[in-house]
Structure formats: structure tokens, C-alpha cells
Amino acid sequence: MPLTSPREMFEGAYQGGYAIGAFNVNNMEIVQGIIQAGEAEQSPLILQVSAGARKYAGKKYIIKLMEAALEETTLPIVLHLDHGQTFEICKEVIEDGFSSVMIDGSHLSFEENIALTRQVVDYAHEKGVWVEAELGRLAGVEDEVSSEESVYTDPDEAVEFVERTGCDSLAVAIGTSHGAYKFKGEPKLDFDRLVKINSLLPGFPLVLHGASSVLTEFVQMANQYGGKVADAKGVPEDFLHKAAQSGVCKINIDTDIRLAMTAVIRKYFKEHPEEFDPRKYLGPARQAVKDMVRHKIKNVLGSSNKI
Ligand code: G3H
Ligand code: 13P
Ligand code: ZN
């Protein structure tokens, strides 16, 4: 099965009020867990690769892992660059065969962001590749993506940005953030802002980054078996369902994968201190990714049986 463009996926999602999960991949077990979940739920999938993932796994290995996945599955799959910061990295992955890229100019001024996004759009569209852009800024720290403070997306600027750049989808900042510590008090998102953006850009697919729910099950398991992620808090799952009713077609999930794997591996180490065969703990970690992604698809995103 060749790679798919997000276009058809997002059309169905927008009309149907559901979202496609965009899951970050860093190694073989993560790719396999996600694909197995998609198979079990017959759901379209977006697999996304960050600059950090390319550095960790190696550019060639990531592509070969994807090729193996595509040979084994009949699911529609998008291979997407997550948080591309420069024109060069977008160009490079397009040459590698990615079907979608994100150019993240959110750290730049409005005009600079427009200029960079436009440059990527011009190049990508010639090759039939989808372009996600970002306006506004999410707080949170990851490997290669970090910001101290969030800047929410201005709805009128979003319209101007989309018109002037020609981007295909837009990541908006409405209160989510990257990582496991998203809220200090009650979780809150600016849904009025999202509804306004959606009403000004009817039919246009929006994207929600920083959308992990930081599942209590895995936070507790990690902490019980020696971890220290006590105050972790994510986006409540019903918020994500609500976002999908307001034009959000792509929901990004990375932290939940990290937590699921880590919690299960911590538990395994504690319960089997004598074991040292990586397959013994990476197997359950892969299974945890599968079960968690399956739960998301079925109970949160609503993309089961949408292929
Ligand atoms: O939004 C960022 C993703 O979670 C990727 O994180 O840069 O640590 O791979 P990373
Ligand atoms: P989380 O940290 O909430 O999983 O967000 C991931 C993300 O936005 C990747 O681009
Ligand atoms: Zn992100």
C-alpha cells in the first residue's frame, strides 16, 4: 500500500466530526504497536517523525521501518514530518518520500512565519505533498521543540495566514502544550477561540498539538514502580472529542506513547529483576502502545472503521 495524502482522511474526518490520530514514532516497537492498533480498529493513521526521531533512529532506518509497515498493512497511512523548523528539513523529507510535512514557523514573527511557510508550500505542492503550518505558540519542552510561554492563535490572523501561505492545514494554540505537565490547576482550553477560527475558515482542517491525555493508569504505574511523574496532567479525553466537532481533523499524541512504554517497562524491571533480554520488556511495551492507541482511536478520536 503506497503512502496516502491527508486530504481524503481529513475530508472524512471534517464531515464526520472525528479526528485522525497523529502518533510520533521513534523505533520499531512504536511503529508496530501503532500499526497493530490501526489494523484492529480499521482506522486511517498518521505516523509522524520529529527531527529528534530522525536523529535518534537514523533517517534511513525511519524510512525502512515505514516501508516494512506499508508492505505489511493495507491501511491508509500518512508519513508526516513533525515540527519541521527549516525549509531544508522539509525538502529533505519530501525527497525521502514523506507525504506530508509540518513547517513550524511559530517561533518567528508573523511575516517571517508567512514567508517561510509560503516557501515550503511552493516546493511541497509541486511534489503533491501536504503542508501543515502553525500560528500561535504552544508552551512546553521536548527534545527539539521548546517554548516557555504560549501565545494563543488570533482568529483573524489565522485567516490572513492561510490565505497568504496556501498551507493545507493549520496547528492552532488554544491552551494545549507539549509534554506531561500541561495544566497546573483545572484543565482548560479556549474552545470559543477554536470555534471562532473554525467559523472563519469553514471546511479547513485544523490541528491540535500537545494533545496527550497523560493517562492516570500509566502515571500511577510509573510512580508506583520508581518513577517521578507525580504532577503530570494532560488534556481530558472529552476535550479532544469536542475539538473534533470544531474542525480539528488531526490530533497529535506522543507523550502518551512515552508514558505507556516507560510505565510498563518500569513495572517489568521491578517484577523481574533477573531478566535482561530486551524482548522480554520491549514486547509488553509494544503491547501497551497498541492497547493505548486502540483506546484512543475507538473511544476518543472516533476513527474506527473509517477506511
Ligand atoms: O511535539 C514534539 C513531539 O513530541 C516530538 O518530540 O522533538 O522530543 O521528538 P521530540
Ligand atoms: P504531546 O506531548 O501532548 O503528546 O504532544 C505531541 C505533539 O504535539 C507532537 O507534535
Ligand atoms: Zn507538536
Side-chain angles (χ1 to χ4, degrees), residues 37-241:
E39 294 273 7
E41 288 302 321
Q42 289 296 290
S43 167
L45 291 171
I46 299 173
L47 268 55
Q48 55 187 11
V49 177
S50 69
R54 290 177 91 223
K55 206 189 285 174
Y56 171 76
K59 299 171 190 178
K60 287 242 159 58
Y61 275 89
I62 282 287
I63 294 293
K64 293 292 171 192
L65 279 175
M66 284 309 304
E67 280 175 15
L70 291 168
E71 269 181 37
E72 297 245 314
T73 187
T74 55
L75 293 177
I77 293 183
V78 165
L79 179 56
H80 175 77
L81 172 69
D82 191 29
H83 291 285
Q85 304 259 350
T86 60
F87 172 77
E88 287 69 31
I89 189 172
C90 293
K91 184 167 180 274
E92 207 177 303
V93 303
I94 289 169
E95 279 161 10
D96 282 348
F98 281 45
S99 55
S100 176
V101 295
M102 175 189 192
I103 177 67
D104 179 358
S106 62
H107 54 291
L108 302 172
S109 71
F110 185 63
E111 289 299 328
E112 286 168 342
N113 190 354
I114 287 180
L116 177 61
T117 303
R118 181 80 245 175
Q119 187 190 8
V120 172
V121 166
D122 287 344
Y123 182 83
H125 282 184
E126 275 222 343
K127 318 263 178 201
V129 171
W130 184 271
V131 180
E132 172 186 324
E134 177 166 337
L135 186 64
R137 200 177 309 137
L138 269 68
V141 182
E142 303 282 303
D143 239 17
E144 310 260 333
V145 186
S146 73
S147 171
E148 296 271 305
E149 279 179 36
S150 60
V151 180
Y152 286 11
T153 309
D154 179 279
D156 295 319
E157 279 189 0
V159 175
E160 185 183 340
F161 185 88
V162 168
E163 277 172 8
R164 286 177 60 193
T165 60
C167 67
D168 301 297
S169 54
L170 187 69
V172 293
I174 58 164
T176 61
S177 59
H178 291 118
Y181 306 93
K182 300 186 193 297
F183 302 100
K184 290 225 165 68
E186 269 306 290
K188 200 172 164 306
L189 295 185
D190 191 345
F191 278 108
D192 290 346
R193 187 177 295 267
L194 179 65
V195 168
K196 181 85 195 286
I197 297 168
N198 182 221
S199 73
L200 293 176
L201 290 167
F204 189 82
L206 303 175
V207 178
L208 203 59
H209 282 245
S212 278
S213 296
V214 186
L215 296 152
T216 318
E217 174 194 351
F218 295 119
V219 172
Q220 282 175 353
M221 194 188 293
N223 287 330
Q224 184 183 344
Y225 293 99
K228 278 190 186 158
V229 283
D231 300 323
K233 200 180 281 180
V235 181
E237 293 187 335
D238 56 323
F239 283 21
L240 300 176
H241 186 72

